[in-house]
Amino acid sequence: MRDVTSAKLLRNHSQTSARLPPRGLPGLDPAWSRLVRVPDADGVDRAWHLLDNGAPADHGTVLCVHGNPTWSYLWRRLLADAPPGWRVVAPDQLGMGWSERTAPRTLAQRVTDLGRLTDALGITGPVVTLGHDWGGAISLGWAATHQALLRGVVLTNTAVHQPEGTYGPVLIRLTRVPGLRDLVCVRTPAFVWAASGLSRPRLNAEVRAGFAAPYATAASRAAVGDFVADIPFDADHPSREPLEEIAQATGQLHVPVLLLWGPRDPVFGEAHLDDLRRRLPQALLHRYERAAHLVTEDAPEYAEAIAGWLADLDTLPSAGPTARADVRPSLLHARLAARAEDHAPAIVEVGRPPVSWDLFDRRVREIAAGLAAVGVGPGRRVALLVPPSLELTVAVHAVWRAGAVVVLADRGLGLGGMGRALRGASIHHVIATGPGLAAARAMRLPGSRIVAGTLVGSLRRVLGAQHTLADLARLGRDGPAPCGPVVDDECAVVFTSGATGPAKGVVYRHRQVEAQLALIRATYELRDDDRIVAAFAPFSLLGPALGVGSAVPDMDVTSPGTLTAGALADAVAAIEASVVFASPASLRSVLATEPALSPTQRSALSRVRLLMSAGAPVSAELLRSVRAVLPAAEAHTPYGMTEVLPVTDISLPQIEAAGAGDGVCVGNPLPGVQVRVSPLSVSGAADQPLTAAPGTAGEVCVRAAHVKQTYDALWATQRASARDLGWHRTGDVGHLDRQGRLWIEGRLQHVLTTPAGVVTPVGVEQRVEALAEVGSAAVVGIGPAGTQQPVVVVVPVAPAPRTAPRVAATPLADRVRAAAQVPLAAVLVARELPVDIRHASKVDRTVVAAWAERTLAGSR
């Protein structure tokens, strides 16, 4: 809708007048543009440009406020995709965008200006404000003075206060240098272009030009410099008091709040986000891990997230968390406490004396009391940068007993990935070894530091360590026991492996971990006299909570391929283990080193009664081969994921009885676990009602008492995964057969959408891998969605020379095509497939697809 009368009145004004944007800007519908005249804060008639979708405000109005140096173009995706019943109004602030140029305006004036504009537009509520950059403070100022109209608040990378110990965004402070602001912000377009350059990945040239379009001349950029000058870093700045009033009023807003954040922002960082969360404890948060300052550009899906939030508005909290619903004491330590007088080994590390149950329990209680004495208690999050060891197990259980929350991120994420994960988890404390403390410093982690192990005094000071676990044990020896957690308290934030995208923090409460442990004990008939060797990182921590003794073999638990048959045998012998838990990659390494076993080591391994292997699909061939190492062990492979484990279980005889099929048979759901699928549409989306109909391929959905509580700081992801009430969408694709067994066919994001219909990858890969000359295979789709062509990438058993052609020779290609049973566009040969670090088994088909596309395009 366009105000033609206003356009005629202003058409012949100078460059300081309001104007309509040029046509042809990407994503901008000219029909949204309007020019309106409204008295400003000083009563002077001013001309505004705004974007307005013109929709009936049956549910309300979203009032969008941009910052500096952007304009209402920032909100074009929300204008295009606004949910029905919501009017979206996005003005260009006075002096900015295509609105009239004015004398410098202060924060207070801009808040008043916005209020007079909404009055003139007849916006009577309900209103949801949406602000970015310094538009966030202005939108909150409007919200504070229009609370009768206010229905909700959405904020993207912004701030209302400069947190203590921080000095403001470096990029902004640099522009405050005398003479530099005028040069960078006004006389040249450097600041304008630098702002759009903060996007990750970099915006295309047309969009960057769209953002810069209103600021083509020095005169049109005057307000860009004025805006920077109005940022109140100094106590005597004229806008300091109004900003402080807005900050104080923000904490009094009792409406639903959504924070959409780009963590790679060099302007507004974690301290600004933490400040907003303290002021708005009811806020739901979604972090777009790959996004920087321009969240709306880096994460176009923000518009979908806002639409979902608006749909849920009536059910969202308008105040901070309420009292805990269930205050029964957690029983997570019940089995450990029951063995507090037991002198049998609880933890064994090869090469170190065993630790008995009574000593382990006493150590945990002392450190827990010490932790509580130094402020590590309920709700406090503790990052653990300690390799799998006795120290890690003690620390985890002490943190739990103190009522705090453990935060665990896989070293396989790399320093950058771990840093992003842990900073995003809002941790309060770090327990780490010396190298872990150095890593914490490199990752810029917040929180107090506690040393696990020993560290010389000079290094302690350099690395900022206030305590050691030994110090805390002494402190807690005579101190009062902490109250301990209740079942509804948070227990852990465990990060996924990052094999299918940025690592996600998975939040568990005590009741969910208790349910998980009870299910594991019951499923595998674990007894107090069982002892487990855990060569799989998650299980290396759970022995004490399961009430069974445990040992970690001499290996890097975060690198499965480092486990040898000898190391496994030595760990089994050290604790007289009856159970082994190892990933498929670990088992392959054990088999490769099996010939080196001594008769004594083979004897120890022959006494193992149960083998569990999980983390990736486990083939019957691998489990059969393991009999050479563990001849008496009943082989089981539980299926699950970080969000819920276990879901199903299957033994080797059951795998053999199921036979070949379209995917990997992972068995029947365990007691108390329900499994359904959401059928796939022709577009590859899992958007159909849940069903248990046999043979129907779809996204696997699970309901059980031990499903995670939520994703941490990923509100939109959690909403999508839990959109079927009570069910968790796993992202895996599969089907149920007539016996109720679940077959896994791949990941939802790896489904191929071909002209003939959808193709799931795992069944095709299995048929190709059955060929004698193929070691492994990956099936990917090349081309646009809906017209994708299947391509198979094979890794031959005999490694191909680096100089060998990437296109398979005709005889191999013909055999692969025959085995695949789907039309293939090409068969390619690679030396290896990219896999994740944690499991060394999950193929990254997205990377394979990109490589295949480049190869077929002739790239070297």
Side-chain angles (χ1 to χ4, degrees):
M1 179 170 64
R2 179 180 298 174
D3 189 330
V4 178
T5 303
S6 295
K8 287 180 178 177
L9 288 171
L10 296 166
R11 180 176 295 159
N12 296 318
H13 279 213
S14 69
Q15 62 180 350
T16 62
S17 302
R19 292 176 293 159
L20 296 175
R23 291 178 176 270
L25 295 181
L28 188 67
D29 186 343
W32 298 332
S33 278
R34 298 179 59 190
L35 296 175
V36 296
R37 298 194 71 87
V38 178
D40 67 9
D42 303 315
V44 179
D45 207 35
R46 300 292 189 189
W48 294 68
H49 168 258
L50 58 90
L51 301 178
D52 185 347
N53 70 347
D58 297 333
H59 299 308
T61 299
V62 181
L63 178 61
C64 309
V65 188
H66 68 84
N68 185 37
T70 57
W71 57 286
S72 53
Y73 188 54
L74 189 73
W75 311 113
R76 64 193 182 281
R77 289 188 177 90
L78 183 61
L79 282 144
D81 299 326
W86 285 94
R87 180 186 180 189
V88 179
V89 175
D92 290 347
Q93 298 194 51
L94 290 178
M96 306 293 291
W98 302 98
S99 288
E100 181 178 332
R101 271 38 185 171
T102 68
R105 309 201 66 69
T106 64
L107 172 63
Q109 286 175 314
R110 290 192 178 280
V111 172
T112 302
D113 290 343
L114 185 61
R116 295 194 173 181
L117 175 65
T118 56
D119 289 345
L121 293 175
I123 295 175
T124 57
V127 174
V128 169
T129 60
L130 169 57
H132 173 257
D133 190 80
W134 291 105
I138 294 165
S139 71
L140 288 168
W142 185 95
T145 55
H146 294 76
Q147 294 196 43
L149 304 182
L150 191 66
R151 185 66 185 87
V153 168
V154 183
L155 297 169
T156 69
N157 291 51
T158 187
V160 293
H161 174 69
Q162 193 59 46
E164 273 188 52
T166 62
Y167 300 97
V170 174
L171 295 177
I172 304 298
R173 279 196 172 273
L174 284 174
T175 63
R176 302 291 291 272
V177 175
L180 190 59
R181 182 179 71 243
D182 186 56
L183 174 66
V184 171
C185 298
V186 182
R187 283 193 284 146
T188 71
F191 191 75
V192 170
W193 285 94
S196 62
L198 294 176
S199 185
R200 295 291 182 271
R202 187 175 291 273
L203 298 179
N204 67 49
E206 292 79 9
V207 171
R208 291 192 75 188
F211 275 109
Y215 306 114
T217 67
S220 65
R221 291 190 293 269
V224 174
D226 296 338
F227 223 130
V228 171
D230 193 48
I231 299 171
F233 287 126
D234 304 320
D236 58 351
H237 192 286
S239 288
R240 182 64 172 261
E241 185 177 343
L243 183 62
E244 289 178 349
E245 290 173 355
I246 290 171
Q248 185 173 2
T250 296
Q252 307 303 314
L253 296 178
H254 299 299
V255 294
V257 177
L258 177 63
L259 303 176
L260 302 176
W261 204 262
R264 301 192 181 195
D265 187 353
V267 180
F268 298 105
E270 297 294 338
H272 300 100
L273 175 59
D274 291 343
D275 178 72
L276 287 171
R277 295 183 77 182
R278 281 192 293 272
R279 295 175 191 277
L280 297 163
Q282 75 271 36
L284 303 172
L285 169 64
H286 188 94
R287 296 168 62 94
Y288 295 101
E289 285 301 327
R290 294 192 172 110
H293 182 64
L294 293 180
V295 188
T296 58
E297 302 301 315
D298 299 348
E301 61 270 29
Y302 90 94
E304 183 181 352
I306 290 177
W309 183 81
L310 291 172
D312 296 347
L313 207 49
D314 290 339
T315 65
L316 298 177
S318 56
T322 56
R324 296 171 293 190
D326 193 337
V327 295
R328 290 176 297 144
S330 169
L331 299 177
L332 198 55
H333 287 96
R335 294 194 178 277
L336 174 56
R339 304 192 70 167
E341 304 298 324
D342 192 338
H343 302 304
I347 306 286
V348 173
E349 283 189 22
V350 176
R352 297 176 65 174
V355 176
S356 62
W357 285 99
D358 58 335
L359 179 59
F360 182 81
D361 177 70
R362 184 168 71 250
R363 185 76 167 172
V364 166
R365 284 188 287 105
E366 289 173 351
I367 293 175
L371 287 168
V374 298
V376 182
R380 307 291 284 181
R381 290 186 168 187
V382 184
L384 290 147
L385 302 180
V386 182
S389 58
L390 171 63
E391 286 77 15
L392 176 61
T393 307
V394 168
V396 166
H397 287 266
V399 168
W400 280 340
R401 188 165 285 190
V405 185
V406 300
V407 182
L408 301 169
D410 200 313
R411 198 169 68 191
L413 296 174
L415 208 60
M418 283 184 66
R420 285 190 293 273
L422 295 175
R423 288 193 301 273
S426 300
I427 59 175
H428 304 96
H429 312 278
V430 177
I431 297 178
T433 59
L437 289 175
R441 185 170 185 167
M443 292 185 286
R444 297 176 286 109
L445 299 186
S448 65
R449 305 298 202 248
I450 299 169
V451 182
T454 58
L455 199 63
V456 297
S458 58
L459 275 179
R460 278 184 62 173
R461 288 189 295 274
V462 168
L463 296 176
Q466 290 95 336
H467 310 281
T468 68
L469 290 180
D471 294 338
L472 296 179
R474 285 189 292 271
L475 179 64
R477 199 159 290 154
D478 300 317
C483 295
V486 301
V487 294
D488 255 356
D489 283 341
E490 283 187 3
C491 176
V493 181
V494 184
F495 280 86
T496 60
S497 67
T500 55
K504 299 185 288 289
V506 177
V507 179
Y508 276 97
R509 291 185 176 175
H510 279 261
R511 57 183 167 83
Q512 289 144 348
V513 177
E514 288 178 17
Q516 180 189 49
L517 295 172
L519 182 60
I520 291 171
R521 273 190 68 101
T523 299
Y524 301 107
E525 300 177 346
L526 296 180
R527 306 179 301 268
D528 286 353
D529 59 348
D530 273 318
R531 293 172 184 173
I532 185 169
V533 170
F536 185 59
F539 270 77
S540 69
L541 303 174
L542 294 181
L546 287 166
V548 298
S550 60
V552 176
D554 184 13
M555 66 173 294
D556 180 354
V557 178
T558 64
S559 180
T562 61
L563 179 63
T564 65
L568 178 62
D570 291 345
V572 166
I575 201 170
E576 298 180 0
S578 54
V579 180
V580 167
F581 199 119
S583 72
S586 292
L587 292 181
R588 286 192 288 271
S589 180
V590 165
L591 285 173
T593 55
E594 177 265 338
L597 287 171
S598 69
T600 302
Q601 289 173 321
R602 290 185 186 277
S603 176
L605 292 170
S606 70
R607 292 190 288 274
V608 174
R609 72 168 181 87
L610 175 66
L611 166 67
M612 292 184 280
S613 185
V618 188
S619 68
E621 180 185 2
L622 177 61
L623 295 179
R624 280 191 290 266
S625 299
V626 170
R627 286 173 176 163
V629 180
L630 300 167
E634 183 179 355
H636 281 255
T637 172
Y639 160 75
M641 59 284 303
T642 307
E643 295 86 343
V644 50
L645 178 72
V647 173
T648 65
D649 178 79
I650 192 167
S651 66
L652 176 57
Q654 290 170 330
I655 293 173
E656 292 171 331
D662 202 5
V664 175
C665 184
V666 296
N668 293 92
L670 294 172
V673 178
Q674 295 175 278
V675 174
R676 299 288 186 272
V677 299
S678 176
L680 301 175
S681 65
V682 293
S683 67
D687 51 10
Q688 306 299 308
L690 305 192
T691 180
T696 302
E699 183 177 9
V700 177
C701 303
V702 179
R703 181 158 63 185
H706 60 294
V707 170
K708 57 114 171 85
Q709 179 66 25
T710 188
Y711 287 116
D712 189 52
L714 291 170
W715 172 80
T717 304
Q718 171 61 21
R719 183 179 186 272
S721 76
R723 64 183 182 268
D724 310 286
L725 291 179
W727 294 87
H728 168 66
R729 285 180 172 255
T730 66
D732 284 345
V733 173
H735 69 273
L736 294 163
D737 64 16
R738 294 190 180 280
Q739 288 73 42
R741 296 173 299 205
L742 177 62
W743 296 71
I744 298 300
E745 302 179 45
R747 293 287 295 170
L748 185 60
Q749 68 199 75
H750 298 152
V751 169
L752 285 66
T753 55
T754 76
V758 297
V759 175
T760 55
V762 171
V764 179
E765 291 167 353
Q766 287 181 313
R767 292 190 289 273
V768 171
E769 289 172 346
L771 296 173
E773 62 267 57
V774 175
S776 57
V779 178
V780 296
I782 302 299
T787 61
Q788 289 182 321
Q789 301 299 309
V791 172
V792 170
V793 179
V794 299
V795 177
V797 172
R802 291 190 179 276
T803 57
R806 293 178 177 179
V807 177
T810 301
L812 175 59
D814 288 345
R815 287 192 291 275
V816 169
R817 292 178 191 278
Q821 299 177 19
V822 296
L824 300 179
V827 178
L828 303 179
V829 176
R831 290 177 58 82
E832 61 183 4
L833 296 176
V835 295
D836 67 305
I837 294 176
R838 178 186 293 182
H839 309 99
S841 301
K842 295 183 177 179
V843 175
D844 190 336
R845 296 185 184 88
T846 304
V847 171
V848 176
W851 176 84
E853 194 152 1
R854 290 195 305 271
T855 298
L856 292 173
S859 169
R860 293 182 60 83

